[in-house]
Amino acid sequence: MKLNIDIAVASKPEWLDAVMNDFNAFLRDHLDCERKASAMAMSFVAKYPDRVEIIPELIETAIEELEHFQQVYQLMASRGIELTHSIGEDPYVKALIKRCHSGRTERFLDRLLVASVVETRGAERFRLVAEAQSETELHRFYKNLWTSEAKHGHLFAKMALLYFDEKTVYSRLRWWVKQEAEVIDNLAIRPALH
Ligand SMILES: [Fe+2]
Ligand SMILES: [Fe+2]
């Protein structure tokens, strides 16, 4: 069952053009995003060890994201694309985190909902990347990732529903979808996931 809310604005065609025009740069950034997604799932375990109900799924998600990292790395290696020194924070995620509440409980809800929205955007963008590929291997690769990130988008909303009532979760999630639209619209276009 779908539990998240769809993103409010579609990615700009200029973004997809930038990605397709420098696909190697996109792959390097994508690789980094998978590493950060894995670390993000584990950071919930570290920050909220008392939320025991979600720990198994968080660990599973972290492993899945690390598998994505491995798959992107293998794809890059097979194409002779070298890794670069990782460039710090993602401006998109940073802008979203900045809008999170600071109280412990409210922040927990916000972090889960931000994760849901980020995963849903990832799914939308991987779908666009998959559909733009002329190579069957790349098409299949991004199609699989799109499915997986869409599943994560539901998963984080499901986790929020375990601890907060439906009204609270969906009114805040609707607010987050609006925030995300604003953030993504103001991002500089670059050959990167965000
Ligand atoms: Fe992933
Ligand atoms: Fe994901």
Side-chain angles (χ1 to χ4, degrees):
M1 191 182 50
K2 184 176 154 62
L3 295 164
N4 58 335
I5 298 182
D6 276 335
I7 44 168
V9 293
S11 293
K12 292 176 187 156
E14 294 82 11
W15 169 79
L16 188 59
D17 289 344
V19 168
M20 297 308 285
N21 287 335
D22 194 351
F23 205 68
N24 289 359
F26 173 73
L27 281 170
R28 286 191 184 101
D29 176 73
H30 176 188
L31 181 74
D32 219 28
C33 288
E34 298 292 1
R35 178 180 60 75
K36 288 176 191 161
S38 180
M40 193 267 296
M42 285 312 294
S43 80
F44 276 104
V45 180
K47 285 182 187 142
Y48 307 98
D50 51 328
R51 308 286 191 176
V52 288
E53 298 80 4
I54 59 174
I55 291 178
E57 274 188 315
L58 286 167
I59 299 171
E60 214 172 285
T61 306
I63 294 170
E64 258 178 55
E65 302 291 17
L66 204 55
E67 278 168 3
H68 294 168
F69 178 91
Q70 186 178 42
Q71 289 159 12
V72 179
Y73 177 71
Q74 282 165 348
L75 181 84
M76 287 171 68
S78 73
R79 287 163 189 247
I81 306 164
E82 281 167 12
L83 296 190
T84 44
H85 178 75
S86 164
I87 46 129
E89 276 167 324
D90 182 324
Y92 167 76
V93 174
K94 196 179 168 188
L96 291 172
I97 300 290
K98 232 175 110 183
R99 296 174 189 220
C100 285
H101 269 310
S102 52
R104 184 171 166 80
T105 308
E106 294 94 329
R107 194 172 181 83
F108 175 59
L109 174 63
D110 275 350
R111 293 301 296 256
L112 287 173
L113 298 182
V114 164
S116 172
V117 171
V118 169
E119 294 286 343
T120 308
R121 174 64 67 186
E124 185 243 10
R125 291 201 154 180
F126 288 152
R127 178 175 59 78
L128 292 172
V129 170
E131 285 168 354
Q133 298 299 336
S134 47
E135 275 182 58
T136 317
E137 188 200 6
L138 283 175
H139 173 78
R140 222 175 274 150
F141 187 73
Y142 277 98
K143 198 178 166 193
N144 285 336
L145 287 176
W146 142 30
T147 318
S148 174
E149 310 306 1
K151 188 189 79 186
H152 294 157
H154 306 169
L155 185 76
F156 283 106
K158 193 180 92 184
M159 290 178 186
L161 288 163
L162 272 180
Y163 301 104
F164 303 91
D165 63 71
E166 237 179 272
K167 205 174 148 244
T168 307
V169 170
Y170 288 108
S171 76
R172 191 66 178 163
L173 190 51
R174 272 192 296 275
W175 182 83
W176 271 116
V177 165
K178 276 188 213 140
Q179 300 301 306
E180 196 269 349
E182 211 179 282
V183 168
I184 203 107
D185 249 5
N186 289 313
L187 276 188
I189 300 273
R190 51 188 195 119
L193 185 55
H194 310 119

